[in-house]
Amino acid sequence: MKKWVGAILAVVIGLVMVMVDVRPVRAASDTNDPYIENQIHLSQIQAIKAWDVVHSNTNITIAVLDTGADYNHPDLKGNLLPGINLVNPARSAQDDNGHGTEVIGVLAAEGNNNIGVSGVLWKAKILPIKVLDKNAVADLDLVARGIHAALDKGAKVILMSVSSMSYSQALTNAVNRAEASGAVLVAASGNEEDRVAYPAAYPTVIAVGGVRANNQPIKESNSGPELNLMATGLNVYTTKLGGRYGTFSGTSAAAPQVAGAAALVLARHPNLKPIDVRQLLYQTAQDLGEPGWDKSTGYGLLNIHKAVTTPMSMDFLEPNNQRSRAKAFPIESQIRGNLGPNDTVDWFKMDIPYDGKVTFHATVSVGSASPMVATFYSENRTPVTHYIGNGDKLTVPAKQGQMMIRLMRNGGVSAFTYVLTSRYSINPDRYEPNDSMATARPLVGNQISVVGNFHEEGDQDWFSYYVREYGMLNVTVTPDTKRMDLVLNIGKQDGRETRWDPSYDNGDRDDPTERAEKEVSPGKYFIRVSEYEQNAVNAEYRLDLYYTPVKKDPNEPNDTYQQASPLAGGNLMTGTFPTASDTDWFHFTVNRESYVSIRAPFVPVKSGMRLALFSSNNFNYPLAMTNSVAERADQGKEVLGIRLQPGKYYIRLNSSISFKYDLYRLTVNQQELVAGYRDISTHWARTEIARLSSKGVVKGFDDATFKPDQPVTRAQFATMLIQAMKANRMPVGSYSGNSSFRDLPKSHWAYNNLGLAYQLGIVKGYPNNQMKPDQAISRAEMAAMVARAHNVPLYSRSFSSYRDVSTGHWASPAIEALTSREWLRGYGSLFKPTGNATRAEVIVVIAKSYKL
């Protein structure tokens, strides 16, 4: 995967892109452009205020490396120079994508012309250089050629709303030439939610990130030690192809605002060098985030008005003459300062991401051999001191963490200005040297994780792994930044040869991890990790290796019922299905009538597993079967539940989806039945439940449970009372169907019994013609309904048997009447009248009251 994504249009499109014309609104007093009030970004970066001082620059050429420009756009054509098309030199630089037109509109749509919008620059000489094709994609060499072409045309500002996560030597050479030629380079930081991309990542390029209207960075904007400035990056209103207008977003929209600011600074101060322009823009930025520079917002939000009205400082980072006031000196960046008799010390702090080394290139304005002394304080290391003169280059070891830097004027030297440019490189990883098959580092274990890097150009990391038995090998390689474009290769040694798989190179910008999954056989394997472009990258990757041997099925052979295996421990089935034709048989014995529940704690597949249950008397027709073993296992549900009589039973398992690296686990649980129920064997109401079940007064549930402690509903209780009356040979008649309740349809299972109980006066309805058949009854309601069923005489008492039932309670007469007959009991001195009546409680009351 080659990670050059020209203008990062994936983010421009993925954010907000409004391709519409907007009705003109009232023009601002500063310009007569109809859509100026839609350009909120101009106020945010103080461009409108700056226009009182300067609004144009036609003395320099500003090159825009992008998809070209719409030469027919009425708001652009007055500011466009004849362009250069490096994609197809035989054609003009007419934009065939739209991105370049949007970028140029932010930079230099003609201002105050009574048309559309205004760029940061009203009047300018814009040189479009088409380096991106119609899909906004290019390669690094073409972008480098674009910089050279711009310099050949004398450009003094070069804008690149393009980004690549890969380093390029050709691009490096072009950037260095631009600095030497006096051209200011501005580039978008990129929209990968990662480290600043190239070319923005170079120390002499202004790296621009994007913020929202509230000055918070947009989510996609790249950040890190190379970030310099922020500008509006969301819903920036600009020109569109075909003479239209609309918004676009991303760091591509932010970068042209800074390029325009650089041109306005040069309009005010035409003799400034690129470093002067950069430092002035940093000096005048509105601080955001942490005080001073920070990796999320750089030096802050672009402020054009301050940039064009503030005198340039040769040392804007002051005061920093004490360690406690140390200013940030990011790796891969550039700082400038002064030292002299009255300012002898400058302190800086540098965050080091990994153990490595930092190289400093120095420019000092005096000719003394060593005018400056630099001392470097790395954590847990002895300080290192160097003497620095103009043009010197020094390299300092640096531990991960924060490194403090003290710069001192050497004694006897007059005041001077210094510029330090930092370059960072990571140390070799702990497995080096492992750059070849001969030096491959062995990996041992079934689960291994190693961390490596590419510390120099062309670095490759080799590992070996010995497989002792057939199995599955999973290897993933994950970088900690998208700057690292990984390629994974796996090969098996075959005598003197090594047979290699095709490269694993499927990662993309959103998911850069490379993954390999393959079945392996005994032998030696080599694993090679490399960087696509063979670049050195200051980052790390993590290699995770998981080896899973083929699981041995402990119950094979059990492919027929004659070979059926007994359940392990009496209740466990395990096995694999290495092929879809494999079948596993198990057998078990039931000694007493039982409910047999089969569950699957683990099934390696998501579907396709089948189970059938047979009696030893008949293998032609299963007693029960299901094709949803895996699905029910995943839901935590019972796979199969069934009542079984004493005897021998067989289970047949198979799967249409094979697996051999994990064992399935199925359990068989037997629960002896009491009166046909599996949940009453130790219950206090066991005798009454069993007796009334045998008389047909009560029934349980299909899963062989009675659920004795579950609340009883009005429908259930009415049915139990009617059945009890019938068991006692009491005349109950039949339901006439005269009374209808709107919540008791004829389809309800208890329609007749509830209607009959209502007809007999046992059950009463509720207002609004409701029966509420599925509502749980309270203990008070239970007492009242039993009393009505028996026509028990009810009268008020002068005392109460229970502390929580007053003599004035509506159910007190029924509760006292049933208590005196010993049909009903409370909980000591309490009755809990509002508590739900349970199925067990009503069974006992019915048994006593009907003498069943």
Side-chain angles (χ1 to χ4, degrees):
M1 176 196 58
K2 202 167 188 179
K3 286 187 184 154
W4 176 254
V5 184
I8 306 302
L9 287 186
V11 170
V12 175
I13 294 169
L15 291 172
V16 180
M17 195 173 193
V18 184
M19 295 290 290
V20 297
D21 289 325
V22 178
R23 181 176 58 84
V25 296
R26 181 182 59 81
S29 60
D30 304 88
T31 76
N32 57 19
D33 300 290
Y35 297 150
I36 189 69
E37 289 191 357
N38 294 334
Q39 297 183 273
I40 308 300
H41 67 283
L42 292 173
S43 297
Q44 189 173 1
I45 61 174
Q46 300 297 312
I48 294 176
K49 192 174 180 181
W51 290 341
D52 292 336
V53 179
V54 59
H55 53 64
S56 301
N57 189 344
T58 58
N59 294 321
I60 64 171
T61 296
I62 304 170
V64 180
L65 277 57
D66 216 288
T67 60
D70 185 353
Y71 277 83
N72 299 315
H73 201 295
D75 227 358
L76 297 181
K77 59 185 181 180
N79 284 342
L80 296 177
L81 298 173
I84 301 171
N85 188 334
L86 295 179
V87 176
N88 189 338
R91 294 185 178 181
S92 72
Q94 174 65 30
D95 191 355
D96 54 3
N97 174 275
H99 188 266
T101 297
E102 294 161 349
V103 168
I104 293 174
V106 177
L107 171 67
E110 189 171 350
N112 207 36
N113 65 344
N114 205 28
I115 299 175
V117 297
S118 176
V120 173
L121 295 162
W122 291 7
K123 297 288 186 180
K125 293 163 58 178
I126 305 300
L127 173 64
I129 301 179
K130 185 172 176 57
V131 297
L132 305 176
D133 64 18
K134 64 181 179 180
N135 298 314
V137 174
D139 61 38
L140 294 169
D141 290 343
L142 200 61
V143 176
R145 285 174 55 197
I147 295 176
H148 288 298
L151 296 174
D152 293 342
K153 291 290 185 179
K156 289 302 178 183
V157 175
I158 300 175
L159 168 61
M160 298 168 285
S161 281
V162 298
S163 64
S164 168
M165 298 308 288
S166 294
Y167 171 85
S168 161
Q169 187 58 53
L171 193 59
T172 302
N173 296 338
V175 168
N176 291 340
R177 181 192 169 195
E179 180 73 2
S181 301
V184 178
L185 297 185
V186 180
S189 70
N191 305 288
E192 290 85 8
E193 299 180 57
D194 204 84
R195 283 278 297 278
V196 173
Y198 294 99
Y202 292 106
T204 57
V205 178
I206 302 175
V208 186
V211 294
R212 300 174 179 272
N214 62 1
N215 290 340
Q216 293 299 309
I218 59 176
K219 179 174 178 286
E220 294 79 8
S221 182
N222 288 348
S223 60
E226 306 88 353
L227 185 64
N228 302 125
L229 285 175
M230 308 297 284
T232 312
L234 186 64
N235 295 337
V236 176
Y237 201 76
T238 185
T239 51
K240 298 282 184 177
L241 282 178
R244 293 180 296 167
Y245 299 86
T247 62
F248 90 122
S249 301
T251 59
S252 289
Q257 300 167 49
V258 174
L264 291 177
V265 167
L266 287 171
R268 293 275 287 160
H269 310 286
N271 295 323
L272 290 184
K273 297 178 181 178
I275 186 174
D276 298 326
V277 176
R278 293 193 296 269
Q279 293 288 312
L280 181 56
L281 292 176
Y282 305 159
Q283 170 191 335
T284 55
Q286 176 188 337
D287 194 19
L288 303 176
E290 300 173 13
W293 179 94
D294 64 78
K295 65 180 181 180
S296 297
T297 60
Y299 287 103
L301 177 67
L302 173 68
N303 187 321
I304 301 181
H305 179 255
K306 287 186 67 176
V308 298
T309 58
T310 303
M312 183 186 66
S313 170
M314 297 298 288
D315 193 355
F316 76 89
L317 297 175
E318 289 288 352
N320 63 334
N321 57 348
Q322 298 176 12
R323 183 172 183 141
S324 61
R325 290 187 169 186
K327 294 298 193 297
F329 186 175
I331 60 171
E332 305 290 328
S333 70
Q334 191 176 67
I335 59 166
R336 181 168 69 182
N338 284 331
L339 290 176
N342 297 321
D343 181 15
T344 60
V345 178
D346 282 348
W347 279 90
F348 295 94
K349 54 187 176 183
M350 179 176 283
D351 291 328
I352 308 298
Y354 318 93
D355 289 353
K357 54 183 177 291
V358 184
T359 299
F360 298 89
H361 292 262
T363 302
V364 182
S365 63
V366 295
S368 303
S370 301
M372 187 165 61
V373 181
T375 304
F376 302 89
Y377 303 85
S378 284
E379 293 183 10
N380 302 317
R381 279 202 170 191
T382 302
V384 177
T385 299
H386 289 268
Y387 292 86
I388 301 176
N390 186 42
D392 283 353
K393 174 182 175 182
L394 59 138
T395 299
V396 179
K399 294 286 289 181
Q400 182 180 20
Q402 191 171 83
M403 181 169 71
M404 302 300 294
I405 303 171
R406 184 183 65 188
L407 303 179
M408 293 183 63
R409 180 183 68 103
N410 209 349
V413 180
S414 61
F416 59 88
T417 298
Y418 62 85
V419 176
L420 288 181
T421 304
S422 65
R423 298 280 187 177
Y424 168 80
S425 57
I426 194 170
N427 280 348
D429 61 61
R430 58 179 295 193
Y431 302 99
E432 291 288 348
N434 63 336
D435 302 319
S436 64
M437 183 181 293
T439 57
R441 291 299 180 112
L443 302 176
V444 180
N446 288 353
Q447 294 187 17
I448 307 160
S449 184
V450 300
V451 174
N453 65 49
F454 304 112
H455 67 285
E456 61 185 6
E457 186 177 343
D459 187 18
Q460 295 183 343
D461 289 347
W462 286 71
F463 303 92
S464 64
Y465 186 75
Y466 192 80
V467 174
R468 297 189 178 278
E469 53 185 321
Y470 289 92
M472 177 68 71
L473 187 67
N474 285 273
V475 180
T476 62
V477 194
T478 306
D480 64 7
T481 174
K482 295 172 184 176
R483 283 190 182 180
M484 186 182 289
D485 187 358
L486 293 168
V487 180
L488 173 65
N489 292 95
I490 300 177
K492 184 182 181 184
Q493 191 177 60
D494 185 9
R496 295 183 179 180
E497 302 264 337
T498 300
R499 291 180 286 106
W500 293 94
D501 297 347
S503 295
Y504 298 93
D505 186 21
N506 300 310
D508 57 31
R509 192 182 68 177
D510 296 323
D511 182 10
T513 297
E514 298 298 344
R515 298 173 175 85
E517 180 180 88
K518 58 176 290 153
E519 292 189 334
V520 291
S521 56
K524 188 175 184 178
Y525 287 80
F526 288 100
I527 299 169
R528 182 177 66 217
V529 184
S530 57
E531 209 278 330
Y532 183 90
E533 300 284 356
Q534 295 293 300
N535 287 326
V537 184
N538 291 321
E540 292 179 336
Y541 67 81
R542 188 185 73 249
L543 182 151
D544 293 301
L545 181 149
Y546 297 91
Y547 165 70
T548 306
V550 171
K551 293 288 186 182
K552 295 179 180 178
D553 191 331
N555 295 299
E556 288 290 351
N558 62 340
D559 301 324
T560 65
Y561 75 88
Q562 295 95 338
Q563 298 173 309
S565 301
L567 304 184
N571 73 340
L572 180 65
M573 295 178 282
T574 62
T576 64
F577 293 112
T579 65
S581 61
D582 187 23
T583 302
D584 288 353
W585 284 82
F586 296 89
H587 68 81
F588 65 96
T589 301
V590 175
N591 295 317
R592 295 181 180 83
E593 183 186 16
S594 300
Y595 182 84
V596 175
S597 173
I598 301 176
R599 290 185 172 273
F602 179 72
V603 174
V605 292
K606 294 295 183 182
S607 63
M609 192 166 172
R610 300 180 288 267
L611 179 148
L613 176 70
F614 296 88
S615 165
S616 60
N617 299 323
N618 187 346
F619 287 100
N620 293 320
Y621 300 99
L623 299 173
M625 62 185 301
T626 176
N627 295 330
S628 303
V629 176
E631 292 85 346
R632 299 186 71 81
D634 188 56
Q635 298 166 5
K637 294 181 179 179
E638 184 180 69
V639 172
L640 184 68
I642 189 172
R643 300 170 188 259
L644 293 179
Q645 298 297 321
K648 191 172 184 179
Y649 297 89
Y650 289 79
I651 294 173
R652 184 187 68 200
L653 292 168
N654 56 15
S655 177
S656 60
I657 302 175
S658 62
F659 55 88
K660 56 186 176 182
Y661 298 106
D662 286 296
L663 295 172
Y664 63 77
R665 291 173 58 86
L666 276 74
T667 59
V668 178
N669 185 41
Q670 299 186 39
Q671 293 174 280
E672 290 187 14
L673 301 182
V674 174
Y677 305 120
R678 57 188 171 109
D679 58 350
I680 68 169
S681 62
T682 59
H683 198 274
W684 61 271
R686 164 181 168 171
T687 302
E688 290 82 357
I689 294 171
R691 189 166 66 247
L692 267 65
S693 292
S694 67
K695 294 178 181 293
V697 175
V698 295
K699 292 182 179 180
F701 298 92
D702 292 339
D703 62 354
T705 61
F706 185 76
K707 299 182 174 59
D709 299 317
Q710 177 178 290
V712 69
T713 67
R714 287 165 57 81
Q716 291 171 340
F717 192 35
T719 299
M720 292 177 186
L721 287 172
I722 296 297
Q723 292 302 111
M725 294 171 71
K726 291 180 178 179
N728 248 356
R729 301 183 183 280
M730 297 172 63
V732 295
S734 59
Y735 180 42
S736 65
N738 293 331
S739 300
S740 61
F741 295 90
R742 60 190 182 90
D743 60 347
L744 184 63
K746 289 186 178 181
S747 59
H748 193 283
W749 68 271
Y751 174 78
N752 286 318
N753 286 330
L754 259 175
L756 184 57
Y758 175 77
Q759 190 171 285
L760 294 172
I762 298 172
V763 178
K764 294 183 178 181
Y766 289 90
N768 299 321
N769 202 29
Q770 294 185 86
M771 177 55 71
K772 299 183 180 180
D774 301 315
Q775 177 178 286
I777 65 169
S778 68
R779 286 173 51 80
E781 290 173 320
M782 172 183 68
M785 290 171 69
V786 172
R788 293 187 201 117
H790 287 278
N791 294 314
V792 174
L794 302 178
Y795 57 89
S796 298
R797 313 259 178 145
S798 59
F799 66 91
S800 176
S801 302
Y802 306 102
R803 288 191 293 112
D804 56 351
V805 181
S806 67
T807 56
H809 191 281
W810 69 270
S812 175
I815 293 170
E816 292 299 332
L818 269 59
T819 300
S820 65
R821 286 170 170 75
E822 297 186 351
W823 293 355
L824 194 62
R825 289 190 304 177
Y827 302 91
S829 62
L830 299 176
F831 185 76
K832 301 182 181 179
T834 58
N836 289 332
T838 66
R839 288 169 56 82
E841 288 173 338
V842 299
I843 286 298
V844 173
V845 171
I846 289 173
K848 289 181 178 181
S849 64
Y850 286 101
K851 296 182 174 58
L852 293 174

